[in-house]
Every structure is written in structure tokens, then in C-alpha cells.
Amino acid sequence: MNLYEHTIVARQDATASQIKQITEKYSKIIEEFDGSIVQTQNWGLLNLSHIIKKNKKGNYIHFKIKGTGKIIKELEQNEIIDKNLLRYMSVKVKKFDLKTNYFSNSENNEKSNKK
Amino acid sequence: MFRRKKTNNKKNRQSNFAKLSIFQPNKYKFKKSCPLSIKGAPVVNYKNIKLLKKYISDNGKILPSRITNVCQKKQRELSISIKRARNLALI
């Protein structure tokens, strides 16, 4: 069982409900292939450093997944077709650090900065 | 005779790039220890963009380790995480 960090960047004008739909859709896929989601983080609307498909901002969603490589292959196949997504990246990791969330929303941003 | 010329060369290169290392705090320029492998150093991670921003130049290039005094192991981790952050348009 490998550990993966999977981040996807959704389009700028994806409404909150769409984002919820996207996260559910992909977490369902992960469950289907008997993987388990350790943590999901919603980094919210961040400014992109360069324009991707005419979008200046992107909604970032971050999954920490425990499972086999088949899950990632399946995930990425669906993400290629998905119109709402700009970019996806999955990274194989040795261990997770679940505490620090670098992009937590503004009110506990100071807390993460202090750490 | 030849060896002295070689070391001379390295020193010249060092001084040529001294200009680039102005924005490094003074104590880093002459201290040879790697700022990332001391005990309390922050974790090098593609999400930790606050740390990564210190090691890229103003137009986004990765700084060479001879300027930032980073050890080779950390420099490799840095470059991989910077490239990942670029891919995710974080940097």
C-alpha cells in the first residue's frame, strides 16, 4: 500500500457545489479501487503563477491517498476527460505530515505561518 | 604552478557571483554550513512555497547551490520540489 499525494486544480469559476461534486466523484473512484483517503484539504482559490487555459485563479483540492498504483492510473484517466480541471499531479510519498497545512484558509493562516 | 592557477579560477568565479548573493543575509555569505540541514530547518516540500521562494531568483530561476550554500542533497530536493510547484502554478 503506497502513499500518494494527489492535487487537482479546478477551474476559476467552479462554484462551491461543483467543487464538492468533484471531490465526491474522485473520492468515490478511490474507494472503488479499495484505496483509502487519509485526508482531503481544500486550499481554496489561489492565484496561479501563470495563466492556464485562460484562468488566472484556480481552486486547489489536495488528497492524501493510501492505496495501490491502479488508483492513480484510474484517477488520472478520468481527470484527463474532466473539463473542469486544469491540472492534476500525484506524488508518491514515503510518509505524510498531516499537521502542517501550508494553504489553510486565512483565519488560521497565521497559525501555520508561526509553525 | 598549474594547481595554483586552478584554485585561482574558482575564487574568481566565486567573486563574479558575489553580486548575485547580495540579497543573502550577510552571515550566510561567508558561513559554509547548509541552512537546510541544521536541526530546526523547515521541511523541503513542494507545498512549502514560502521556503521555496527564498531559493529562486526574482525571475523564477533556481539559484545555484554555490550562492545559497545549500548542500547537494538538499539542493536536489529543492530543485525537484520547485519544479513540482511550478507545474502546479504555485510558484
Side-chain angles (χ1 to χ4, degrees):
Chain A
M1 279 300 198
N2 309 327
L3 299 177
Y4 293 101
E5 276 182 3
H6 189 75
T7 46
I8 41 179
V9 183
R11 243 167 9 137
Q12 187 176 355
D13 42 21
T15 58
S17 65
Q18 266 172 333
I19 294 173
K20 219 189 277 36
Q21 250 172 358
I22 291 172
T23 39
E24 262 137 33
K25 177 181 163 192
Y26 290 117
S27 40
K28 225 192 282 90
I29 290 173
I30 294 169
E31 251 88 38
E32 249 166 58
F33 286 81
D34 57 60
S36 69
I37 299 180
V38 178
Q39 194 190 31
T40 62
Q41 289 172 359
N42 186 350
W43 295 349
L45 203 62
L46 292 178
N47 286 325
L48 300 178
S49 63
H50 52 273
I51 297 177
I52 306 174
K53 291 177 186 154
K54 300 183 183 56
N55 285 286
K56 287 199 177 57
K57 289 196 162 106
N59 291 302
Y60 283 75
I61 305 165
H62 185 73
F63 297 98
K64 293 197 194 286
I65 304 166
K66 193 168 186 309
T68 63
K70 284 202 307 300
I71 293 170
I72 298 297
K73 203 159 72 69
E74 192 58 38
L75 264 177
E76 278 169 0
Q77 266 157 13
N78 291 339
E79 269 147 11
I80 293 171
I81 317 159
D82 195 333
K83 283 276 175 300
N84 279 333
L85 296 187
L86 302 176
R87 202 57 59 103
Y88 57 87
M89 169 191 272
S90 46
V91 175
K92 191 171 177 215
V93 184
K94 293 255 172 348
K95 58 180 175 19
F96 289 140
D97 62 339
L98 301 170
K99 295 182 302 305
T100 53
N101 178 353
Y102 295 102
F103 301 94
S104 56
N105 26 34
S106 55
E107 64 268 7
N108 47 21
N109 217 345
E110 291 74 32
K111 186 163 61 60
S112 67
N113 287 353
K114 244 195 283 4
K115 224 176 284 167
Chain B
M1 195 50 189
F2 180 70
R3 191 178 308 114
R4 200 178 311 114
K5 203 150 68 58
K6 214 159 62 131
T7 51
N8 238 344
N9 202 344
K10 195 166 181 324
K11 215 176 278 114
N12 286 355
R13 216 174 327 110
Q14 195 87 21
S15 63
N16 281 349
F17 279 88
K19 288 189 283 303
L20 257 179
S21 62
I22 308 165
F23 47 83
Q24 278 294 335
N26 224 345
K27 61 181 170 56
Y28 281 144
K29 249 192 291 189
F30 304 107
K31 230 174 74 175
K32 278 300 166 238
S33 78
C34 161
L36 288 180
S37 39
I38 45 178
K39 228 169 79 53
V43 177
V44 178
N45 196 333
Y46 67 95
K47 305 191 283 287
N48 187 357
I49 46 175
K50 218 149 64 66
L51 174 81
L52 296 184
K53 283 218 167 86
K54 287 199 193 93
Y55 291 97
I56 56 174
S57 74
D58 42 17
N59 39 26
K61 293 174 154 198
I62 301 174
L63 286 174
S65 64
R66 69 172 170 272
I67 303 253
T68 54
N69 287 327
V70 173
C71 68
Q72 197 180 359
K73 182 167 180 276
K74 289 296 173 192
Q75 180 73 13
R76 279 196 302 268
E77 281 168 30
L78 258 179
S79 72
I80 290 174
S81 41
I82 286 173
K83 285 166 192 166
R84 281 189 182 144
R86 278 183 190 154
N87 185 19
L88 275 179
L90 295 170
I91 282 182

